Amino acid sequence: MNNTTPPGHPASQEAAARLGDTVQEVYARGIADQRDRLLASTPVILALFDGTGGRLLLHTPGRPPVQAPPVPDSYRLLKDLAHAPVAAFRLAASPGLSTPETRPRLTGTLIRASAGLVSAGIGPEEARAGRALLNLCLRLLAEPDGGPHAQQERTARFARACAPLLLHLVEKAAAVQVGHWAWVLDDWQERLGGSFDGVYAAANTLYVTRTKNVLFTVLAQYLGEEVIGERLFLFETPEFTTTPDRMLDLLTRIVADREIGRAFFGHGRVMDVELMGDATRTALREEMARRGRKAVLPTKAPYDSHQWPWATDPTNGTGPSTLTAVRADH
């Protein structure tokens, strides 16, 4: 008598679901244990985007986490000034966005900001650039909309006029932000001494800020290019902001998965990527060939590449670049 349940049968589906749930439960417990072990043995720096220049936290074994002092207020003002023409441009370029309340409210905010620059805590050069930028915004908002062609020309002139002022303010804001975090990391590096050489660090980013990411780039100056992808990570998150707990969970998963990679395949970083990736490439080639098409696939970089912030160059790094090669070496 055959007691095998046919595939697709409700009992088979239920058994598979139970197996998956049980495996995930065990895995989650393992991650929690790994997190405790990581924080008990290794310094960890978390760099979180927060809209005001960032937030850095230092976890040191045996001590409560330390949050660094925030970026000076002048950074936020300079950045907000640089953002002002974007808002004005949007309202002028898209009349549908302008309601009886929005344009007067933005105009009033720009006027008050311009008047307050004298005592805002930024240098006279930055204050002049900021006031000039706000005046350009006010003039744009005061002009009648006109027809689509006139509107397009007006907003184009406005953007060109704003660009050098905007870039000047961005440069000043970057100097404040980078100078602050360099000061913080100087202090933490001295405080940690030799243990800084083993620190793990991670910054979070939204898709649009992943390249040239400020916090990640600052961290790279102190940890070194050779640890990118090894102990220094850039986590892409679905929102601009995230929580320290979420960052720690992501970091812990990487560390825990690398233990699994070493045990099963002889190379920890095979678990940094989609494990089915190599098999998927083979399957895609076969599927596309059956359709008379060439598979569109990226080049492969070694697992231990230190490219920033993602690995695509096969000449950067050493060692195997496919799961098959890793298994052959194991």
Side-chain angles (χ1 to χ4, degrees):
M1 177 171 151
N2 187 358
N3 293 321
T4 303
T5 304
H9 189 277
S12 296
Q13 295 173 355
E14 182 180 356
R18 287 179 179 176
L19 175 61
D21 291 344
T22 302
V23 168
Q24 289 303 316
E25 180 182 346
V26 172
Y27 186 78
R29 290 180 180 178
I31 291 293
D33 176 68
Q34 180 69 56
R35 173 171 165 168
D36 292 340
R37 288 190 285 129
L38 175 66
L39 294 179
S41 62
T42 308
V44 173
I45 296 174
L46 301 178
L48 293 87
F49 180 91
D50 67 355
T52 60
R55 179 184 174 201
L56 259 65
L57 294 95
L58 171 63
H59 290 260
T60 305
R63 297 180 181 179
V66 173
Q67 180 163 314
V71 175
D73 291 340
S74 58
Y75 164 84
R76 182 170 183 176
L77 176 58
L78 291 166
K79 192 173 179 181
D80 287 345
L81 287 170
H83 281 155
V86 177
F89 180 91
R90 287 296 185 193
L91 281 182
S94 305
L97 297 177
S98 184
T99 67
E101 296 83 18
T102 54
R103 187 170 292 211
R105 185 167 68 247
L106 178 58
T107 298
T109 302
L110 294 171
I111 292 173
R112 288 189 295 273
S114 181
L117 286 178
V118 176
S119 57
I122 59 177
E125 183 182 357
E126 291 77 44
R128 283 193 296 270
R131 188 172 295 107
L133 199 60
L134 296 177
N135 287 338
L136 286 170
C137 294
L138 290 168
R139 284 203 295 270
L140 176 69
L141 295 175
E143 294 178 4
D145 289 337
H149 182 69
Q151 173 184 310
Q152 186 176 10
E153 287 187 346
R154 185 174 68 254
T155 53
R157 286 196 305 270
F158 166 77
R160 287 194 298 271
C162 288
L165 297 167
L166 190 154
L167 291 175
H168 175 74
L169 294 175
V170 167
E171 289 174 358
K172 296 297 183 181
V176 172
Q177 183 184 24
V178 170
H180 174 77
W181 292 129
W183 168 73
V184 167
L185 290 170
D186 284 340
D187 177 62
W188 287 358
Q189 187 173 37
E190 181 178 357
R191 185 185 307 184
L192 292 174
S195 62
F196 191 87
D197 294 337
V199 70
Y200 277 81
N204 79 292
T205 179
L206 198 64
Y207 176 83
V208 295
T209 58
R210 74 198 187 286
T211 303
K212 301 182 181 179
N213 184 271
V214 176
L215 297 178
F216 180 88
T217 306
V218 173
L219 288 169
Q221 310 311 304
Y222 286 81
L223 274 70
E225 185 177 4
E226 66 277 6
V227 305
I228 292 176
E230 187 67 34
R231 290 185 287 106
L232 174 58
F233 305 98
L234 185 63
F235 294 154
E236 193 169 317
T237 49
E239 304 290 344
F240 267 121
T241 58
T242 189
T243 65
D245 278 345
R246 182 60 179 147
M247 293 281 285
L248 279 174
D249 285 346
L250 290 169
L251 177 61
T252 302
R253 176 168 183 150
I254 291 173
V255 175
D257 281 356
R258 286 179 176 179
E259 287 188 356
I260 295 172
R262 284 189 288 271
F264 279 80
F265 306 113
H267 198 300
R269 289 183 64 176
V270 301
M271 301 297 289
D272 284 9
V273 303
E274 171 58 67
L275 193 61
M276 294 177 63
D278 292 334
T280 298
R281 293 171 68 97
T282 300
L284 279 170
R285 286 195 185 95
E286 293 172 354
E287 290 292 339
M288 293 302 102
R290 278 194 284 269
R291 291 161 174 78
R293 298 171 60 181
K294 181 180 179 181
V296 179
L297 299 169
T299 56
K300 298 187 295 293
Y303 284 117
D304 59 355
S305 169
H306 302 296
Q307 295 180 78
W308 184 95
W310 53 79
T312 58
D313 183 0
T315 67
N316 187 298
T318 58
S321 61
T322 68
L323 183 57
T324 301
V326 169
R327 295 187 66 187
D329 291 343
H330 183 40

